[in-house]
mmCIF file of all heavy atoms in Angstrom:
data_model
loop_
_atom_site.group_PDB
_atom_site.id
_atom_site.type_symbol
_atom_site.label_atom_id
_atom_site.label_comp_id
_atom_site.label_asym_id
_atom_site.label_seq_id
_atom_site.Cartn_x
_atom_site.Cartn_y
_atom_site.Cartn_z
ATOM 1 N N MET A 30 15.635 7.580 6.194
ATOM 2 C CA MET A 30 15.277 6.347 7.076
ATOM 3 C C MET A 30 16.330 6.162 8.170
ATOM 4 O O MET A 30 15.943 5.683 9.298
ATOM 5 C CB MET A 30 15.142 5.161 6.277
ATOM 6 C CG MET A 30 13.863 5.173 5.339
ATOM 7 S SD MET A 30 13.902 3.838 4.207
ATOM 8 C CE MET A 30 13.334 2.529 5.231
ATOM 9 N N ALA A 31 17.519 6.584 7.881
ATOM 10 C CA ALA A 31 18.661 6.343 8.867
ATOM 11 C C ALA A 31 18.915 7.694 9.558
ATOM 12 O O ALA A 31 19.772 7.779 10.326
ATOM 13 C CB ALA A 31 19.861 5.995 8.022
ATOM 14 N N ASN A 32 18.019 8.654 9.422
ATOM 15 C CA ASN A 32 18.224 9.928 10.095
ATOM 16 C C ASN A 32 19.487 10.514 9.774
ATOM 17 O O ASN A 32 20.232 11.013 10.683
ATOM 18 C CB ASN A 32 17.929 9.865 11.602
ATOM 19 C CG ASN A 32 16.455 9.391 11.909
ATOM 20 O OD1 ASN A 32 15.608 9.919 11.324
ATOM 21 N ND2 ASN A 32 16.415 8.458 12.769
ATOM 22 N N MET A 33 19.906 10.540 8.485
ATOM 23 C CA MET A 33 21.195 11.054 8.090
ATOM 24 C C MET A 33 20.891 12.163 6.895
ATOM 25 O O MET A 33 20.010 11.929 6.154
ATOM 26 C CB MET A 33 22.002 9.961 7.618
ATOM 27 C CG MET A 33 22.332 8.968 8.612
ATOM 28 S SD MET A 33 23.296 7.488 7.940
ATOM 29 C CE MET A 33 24.855 8.179 7.353
ATOM 30 N N GLN A 34 21.712 13.150 6.941
ATOM 31 C CA GLN A 34 21.737 14.083 5.812
ATOM 32 C C GLN A 34 22.503 13.646 4.707
ATOM 33 O O GLN A 34 22.116 13.786 3.521
ATOM 34 C CB GLN A 34 22.307 15.477 6.428
ATOM 35 C CG GLN A 34 21.433 16.202 7.387
ATOM 36 C CD GLN A 34 20.125 16.591 6.644
ATOM 37 O OE1 GLN A 34 19.912 17.066 5.626
ATOM 38 N NE2 GLN A 34 19.056 16.347 7.607
ATOM 39 N N ARG A 35 23.663 13.069 4.929
ATOM 40 C CA ARG A 35 24.461 12.433 3.774
ATOM 41 C C ARG A 35 25.227 11.350 4.438
ATOM 42 O O ARG A 35 25.356 11.243 5.601
ATOM 43 C CB ARG A 35 25.412 13.570 3.136
ATOM 44 C CG ARG A 35 26.465 14.063 4.163
ATOM 45 C CD ARG A 35 27.511 14.983 3.472
ATOM 46 N NE ARG A 35 26.809 15.960 2.646
ATOM 47 C CZ ARG A 35 26.813 17.205 2.684
ATOM 48 N NH1 ARG A 35 27.499 17.872 3.700
ATOM 49 N NH2 ARG A 35 26.166 18.083 1.923
ATOM 50 N N LEU A 36 25.836 10.504 3.531
ATOM 51 C CA LEU A 36 26.493 9.301 3.902
ATOM 52 C C LEU A 36 27.903 9.839 4.422
ATOM 53 O O LEU A 36 28.675 10.525 3.804
ATOM 54 C CB LEU A 36 26.671 8.424 2.803
ATOM 55 C CG LEU A 36 27.158 6.928 3.011
ATOM 56 C CD1 LEU A 36 26.189 6.262 4.020
ATOM 57 C CD2 LEU A 36 27.228 6.096 1.678
ATOM 58 N N ASP A 37 28.266 9.243 5.674
ATOM 59 C CA ASP A 37 29.606 9.565 6.106
ATOM 60 C C ASP A 37 30.497 8.519 5.626
ATOM 61 O O ASP A 37 30.426 7.329 5.897
ATOM 62 C CB ASP A 37 29.580 9.581 7.603
ATOM 63 C CG ASP A 37 30.941 9.834 8.273
ATOM 64 O OD1 ASP A 37 31.943 9.946 7.459
ATOM 65 O OD2 ASP A 37 31.030 9.972 9.572
ATOM 66 N N TYR A 38 31.499 8.876 4.714
ATOM 67 C CA TYR A 38 32.260 7.805 4.118
ATOM 68 C C TYR A 38 33.365 7.196 5.073
ATOM 69 O O TYR A 38 34.013 6.333 4.661
ATOM 70 C CB TYR A 38 32.964 8.416 2.804
ATOM 71 C CG TYR A 38 31.871 8.891 1.845
ATOM 72 C CD1 TYR A 38 31.641 10.208 1.667
ATOM 73 C CD2 TYR A 38 31.089 7.950 1.197
ATOM 74 C CE1 TYR A 38 30.630 10.668 0.871
ATOM 75 C CE2 TYR A 38 30.102 8.424 0.296
ATOM 76 C CZ TYR A 38 29.839 9.797 0.095
ATOM 77 O OH TYR A 38 28.859 10.060 -0.641
ATOM 78 N N LYS A 39 33.487 7.686 6.171
ATOM 79 C CA LYS A 39 34.629 7.319 7.119
ATOM 80 C C LYS A 39 33.960 6.281 8.095
ATOM 81 O O LYS A 39 34.610 5.306 8.352
ATOM 82 C CB LYS A 39 35.289 8.376 7.721
ATOM 83 C CG LYS A 39 36.131 9.252 6.686
ATOM 84 C CD LYS A 39 36.914 10.273 7.402
ATOM 85 C CE LYS A 39 37.816 11.054 6.471
ATOM 86 N NZ LYS A 39 37.341 11.451 5.271
ATOM 87 N N SER A 40 33.012 6.821 8.728
ATOM 88 C CA SER A 40 32.329 5.810 9.827
ATOM 89 C C SER A 40 30.897 5.934 9.914
ATOM 90 O O SER A 40 30.335 6.904 10.434
ATOM 91 C CB SER A 40 32.881 6.311 11.200
ATOM 92 O OG SER A 40 32.549 7.672 11.457
ATOM 93 N N PRO A 41 30.268 5.041 9.197
ATOM 94 C CA PRO A 41 28.747 5.009 9.051
ATOM 95 C C PRO A 41 28.091 4.660 10.476
ATOM 96 O O PRO A 41 28.386 3.594 11.046
ATOM 97 C CB PRO A 41 28.477 3.902 8.180
ATOM 98 C CG PRO A 41 29.499 2.859 8.251
ATOM 99 C CD PRO A 41 30.838 3.754 8.482
ATOM 100 N N VAL A 42 27.301 5.553 10.972
ATOM 101 C CA VAL A 42 26.559 5.329 12.201
ATOM 102 C C VAL A 42 25.084 5.673 11.846
ATOM 103 O O VAL A 42 24.844 6.944 11.599
ATOM 104 C CB VAL A 42 27.172 6.130 13.389
ATOM 105 C CG1 VAL A 42 26.340 6.059 14.640
ATOM 106 C CG2 VAL A 42 28.710 5.840 13.479
ATOM 107 N N VAL A 43 24.239 4.814 11.975
ATOM 108 C CA VAL A 43 22.867 5.133 11.870
ATOM 109 C C VAL A 43 22.445 5.731 13.161
ATOM 110 O O VAL A 43 22.458 4.956 14.224
ATOM 111 C CB VAL A 43 21.961 3.783 11.309
ATOM 112 C CG1 VAL A 43 20.462 4.145 11.331
ATOM 113 C CG2 VAL A 43 22.552 3.309 10.108
ATOM 114 N N SER A 44 21.739 6.898 13.150
ATOM 115 C CA SER A 44 21.529 7.554 14.507
ATOM 116 C C SER A 44 20.410 6.910 15.164
ATOM 117 O O SER A 44 20.281 7.178 16.391
ATOM 118 C CB SER A 44 21.411 9.123 14.186
ATOM 119 O OG SER A 44 20.346 9.265 13.322
ATOM 120 N N ASP A 45 19.568 6.295 14.462
ATOM 121 C CA ASP A 45 18.365 5.781 15.177
ATOM 122 C C ASP A 45 17.695 4.583 14.337
ATOM 123 O O ASP A 45 18.003 4.535 13.088
ATOM 124 C CB ASP A 45 17.356 6.895 15.332
ATOM 125 C CG ASP A 45 16.321 6.551 16.385
ATOM 126 O OD1 ASP A 45 16.473 5.465 17.079
ATOM 127 O OD2 ASP A 45 15.333 7.337 16.484
ATOM 128 N N MET A 46 16.995 3.796 15.009
ATOM 129 C CA MET A 46 16.309 2.836 14.198
ATOM 130 C C MET A 46 15.162 3.286 13.347
ATOM 131 O O MET A 46 14.425 4.195 13.935
ATOM 132 C CB MET A 46 15.727 1.720 15.201
ATOM 133 C CG MET A 46 14.880 0.587 14.594
ATOM 134 S SD MET A 46 16.152 -0.419 13.565
ATOM 135 C CE MET A 46 16.762 -1.460 14.932
#
Side-chain angles (χ1 to χ4, degrees):
M30 291 171 74
N32 296 317
M33 297 170 66
Q34 292 293 320
R35 66 174 43 119
L36 192 59
D37 182 356
Y38 300 107
K39 293 188 176 37
S40 58
V42 176
V43 177
S44 60
D45 197 6
M46 181 66 80

